[in-house]
Amino acid sequence: MEDELTPQNATLKFPEGFLWGAATSHFQVEGHPTEMSTRLSDWSKWTAIAGNISDSTTADSACEFFSRYQSDIELLGGLNLGALRISLNWAVLCPTSGEDGKRSLDMKEVEYYRNLLSSLKKRNITTFVTLFHFCLPEALADDEGWLSEKTAIEFGRFAELIARELGEYIDYWITINEPLPYVYQGYVDGSWPPGQKQHYLNAFKAVRNMLKGHALAYHAIHKVIPDAKVSFTNHWRPFVPRNKWNPLDCLVTHMRNRVFNHLFPAAIKHGAMQFPFPLNFEPSIKALCEPIEGLKDTMDYSGVNYYTRDMSQHSFEAPFDFFGRSWRNLEAEISCMGWESYPDGLFEILTKELKPYLKRSDGKDCPIMITENGYATLFPAHLVEGDWSLTDEFRIKYLISHLMAMHKAIQKGANVKGYLYWSLLDNFEWAEGLKARFGLVRVAFPTQERTLRKSAYVYAKIAQSNTLDPFI
Ligand code: IFM
């Protein structure tokens, strides 16, 4: 068999200069004191409402990364990792919105990010910086959020200000993180702000404005730094029909794939949103498909977030819902997020689904960066002492199987340049709160003590040797 591994051929080598790192986002780790007092984001307001977070925790302290980042950077270095992904707190950096275009940044806040980023650069750590990781400044959120074009315009201005102040420290820019999960949770599922349910049209309107915001940010950054590497991150999820012989299951699977996986990157490729038949005939959706100025080709690399696959089925409860429902295979190995471990899906995404987006119309190649991939286990936020969660065999198995899939894709020609594990630290996992733990490093939230998990040692060895022994 072609891909069979034996102990003799087992050690997998990654390309020279391959980047190994970890990812975080500001709201999930910072525990930002300023945000908690005056300059709120929609998420800090959302977490304060009873019932919104399943374990009733908030991100008010999170990992206290805001005050502990120096020692967390030491931890990162100790794990031989050469890249860190962070995000910027738009609500605190630039809390108000206005018409004059002369918005300025809060310079105290800029200093925090300057210190953080320059500390990373001093240690030779490659920086990935996300401008929008799910949190909107309160004023914009209260004024329709991404349903309004104003948010896109403000986002473009924010990007330009950041490029001027912090651009010299940023190696890879990520304008928007996971636009489709964001609009799904916010407008269809209702578990994230603004908490709307089953409002597909609003979800698509928000996507259109996010595309506009992305395009404005892309050009604003390039105006200041012509050779900047700018992209967004797509949450890729292979969709498979629950029953491949059922045409209705196949239909919803196709619709989900075209929209969830492809809507955003295909719009960047073509300069306009494209919806699958028959949605493209619905007048209010058709109206969203007008070309977006400056959007085409606004991708310098491809940012891939990958966790799981989705089994999809048509639902007779909602016969006109083209997106059907997810079906959970109870026999599969799933994480506490309900996510099946499916490494073949990463191979499929890297070698097949991504193909249309790897060359721009001007001939430029877009290399691939895996900007998130990780595994969560469930341990309540109040735990402090003891060995809980440190021997994380499931995470190790997940990590190794996904790195093997990535390696196989590289062997087949996928131009993957780096891999960022989600996440460096246990952190605030949105609607799941502090209990869903993705960290290589365990955080005991009551004391903020950090402890390396077994997976951290395994990953550190891989990063140091740039090789993987699947039999470890
Ligand atoms: O924690 C999130 C992150 O903010 C975005 N991508 C998925 C992760 C795990 O759910």
Side-chain angles (χ1 to χ4, degrees):
M1 208 173 77
E2 186 197 356
D3 298 315
E4 193 178 3
L5 288 171
T6 62
Q8 285 72 37
N9 71 2
T11 300
L12 308 178
K13 288 196 175 61
F14 289 90
E16 219 184 296
F18 193 83
L19 201 54
W20 296 100
T24 63
S25 89
H26 72 277
F27 192 74
Q28 294 177 272
V29 299
E30 277 180 357
H32 203 291
T34 314
E35 178 161 358
M36 293 317 135
S37 52
T38 47
R39 285 172 279 159
L40 297 177
S41 74
D42 52 352
W43 259 100
S44 45
K45 285 176 83 180
W46 181 259
T47 58
I49 300 168
N52 280 349
I53 307 302
S54 74
D55 64 357
S56 306
T57 55
T58 69
D60 291 5
S61 300
C63 312
E64 295 182 359
F65 183 78
F66 184 75
S67 52
R68 296 171 184 267
Y69 68 85
Q70 290 292 7
S71 48
D72 287 337
I73 294 175
E74 297 296 328
L75 277 177
L76 183 86
L79 296 178
N80 310 313
L81 300 182
L84 183 67
R85 178 177 169 204
I86 62 159
S87 72
L88 304 183
N89 190 333
W90 184 8
V92 176
L93 273 161
C94 195
T96 47
S97 55
E99 302 297 317
D100 59 5
K102 294 200 183 99
R103 228 26 63 198
S104 57
L105 293 169
D106 177 310
M107 291 316 283
K108 253 176 96 180
E109 199 52 33
V110 169
E111 274 323 293
Y112 157 66
Y113 284 111
R114 197 191 304 284
N115 290 337
L116 162 59
L117 288 164
S118 65
S119 304
L120 291 166
K121 293 311 305 168
K122 268 187 217 136
R123 288 167 175 79
N124 239 338
I125 289 172
T126 301
T127 55
F128 288 73
V129 174
T130 313
L131 297 177
F132 179 76
H133 199 117
F134 303 155
C135 301
L136 275 174
E138 186 183 18
L140 293 176
D142 289 348
D143 192 9
E144 289 195 296
W146 285 107
L147 293 181
S148 163
E149 193 182 19
K150 195 170 143 195
T151 298
I153 294 166
E154 287 296 330
F155 186 63
R157 288 178 185 153
F158 172 57
E160 178 167 349
L161 293 172
I162 293 296
R164 292 196 189 287
E165 287 297 337
L166 299 172
E168 65 187 288
Y169 308 105
I170 300 177
D171 297 309
Y172 289 89
W173 295 78
I174 296 167
T175 55
I176 293 181
N177 181 60
E178 298 184 340
L180 266 295
Y182 172 78
V183 301
Y184 179 80
Q185 315 273 10
Y187 297 96
V188 180
D189 176 68
S191 54
W192 290 7
Q196 296 182 14
K197 284 193 198 305
Q198 292 304 315
H199 212 316
Y200 282 108
L201 185 59
N202 274 356
F204 297 145
K205 280 186 183 160
V207 173
R208 182 171 166 88
N209 284 321
M210 292 176 110
L211 284 161
K212 283 186 186 171
H214 163 83
L216 289 169
Y218 179 92
H219 293 294
I221 297 164
H222 275 277
K223 191 169 89 184
V224 181
I225 309 161
D227 61 351
K229 295 191 265 295
V230 186
S231 191
F232 75 104
T233 57
N234 210 40
H235 183 123
W236 288 95
R237 190 171 282 209
F239 289 92
V240 286
R242 177 182 173 184
N243 173 0
K244 68 176 178 187
W245 306 112
N246 178 337
L248 291 175
D249 285 2
C250 292
L251 173 74
V252 297
T253 301
H254 168 75
M255 301 298 272
R256 284 171 163 229
N257 182 38
R258 291 317 307 166
V259 171
F260 188 90
N261 283 329
H262 291 277
L263 192 62
F264 217 86
I268 292 176
K269 182 177 171 77
H270 301 289
M273 288 207 276
Q274 297 182 333
F275 286 89
F277 175 83
L279 287 183
N280 55 347
F281 279 91
E282 210 282 313
S284 45
I285 289 186
K286 211 168 161 188
L288 301 175
C289 298
E290 289 294 310
I292 295 174
E293 206 186 318
L295 177 64
K296 196 170 158 59
D297 283 335
T298 50
M299 220 165 101
D300 301 318
Y301 69 99
S302 191
V304 172
N305 292 1
Y306 177 82
Y307 290 89
T308 186
R309 72 168 166 177
D310 186 295
M311 307 271 258
S312 312
Q313 64 178 346
H314 175 259
S315 162
F316 282 105
E317 281 160 36
F320 300 110
D321 182 347
F322 289 113
F323 297 105
R325 301 276 177 272
S326 290
W327 177 74
R328 190 172 290 177
N329 178 1
L330 294 174
E331 277 158 31
E333 214 173 275
I334 55 168
S335 73
C336 72
M337 302 291 288
W339 294 348
E340 178 186 353
S341 175
Y342 185 63
D344 288 353
L346 180 59
F347 176 80
E348 252 168 65
I349 299 297
L350 296 175
T351 55
K352 197 174 122 212
E353 297 288 327
L354 263 177
K355 270 228 161 113
Y357 314 115
L358 297 178
K359 203 177 255 311
R360 304 187 343 175
S361 67
D362 57 10
K364 278 197 193 139
D365 288 321
C366 287
I368 304 167
M369 284 291 179
I370 299 195
T371 36
E372 284 183 30
N373 175 239
Y375 185 89
T377 49
L378 196 78
F379 289 91
H382 66 265
L383 294 176
V384 183
E385 282 163 5
D387 291 344
W388 55 276
S389 88
L390 293 177
T391 315
D392 52 346
E393 300 297 344
F394 283 121
R395 180 171 291 105
I396 293 170
K397 196 169 160 203
Y398 183 95
L399 176 68
I400 290 185
S401 58
H402 284 75
L403 293 183
M404 284 173 69
M406 176 177 84
H407 185 269
K408 192 168 139 195
I410 294 173
Q411 298 295 101
K412 293 263 186 284
N415 189 14
V416 187
K417 297 287 192 199
Y419 172 94
L420 309 183
Y421 178 81
W422 182 274
S423 183
L424 178 64
L425 304 166
D426 286 345
N427 60 46
F428 183 78
E429 178 53 28
W430 309 111
E432 276 73 29
L434 293 170
K435 70 178 188 308
R437 296 169 182 266
F438 279 90
L440 295 165
V441 179
R442 177 180 93 175
V443 179
F445 292 110
T447 58
Q448 290 294 333
E449 191 191 349
R450 273 76 165 141
T451 314
L452 299 189
R453 293 202 166 99
K454 191 172 172 192
S455 57
Y457 294 102
V458 169
Y459 189 43
K461 194 168 161 216
I462 295 168
Q464 186 182 39
S465 62
N466 203 30
T467 63
L468 165 67
D469 177 354
F471 293 104
I472 49 177

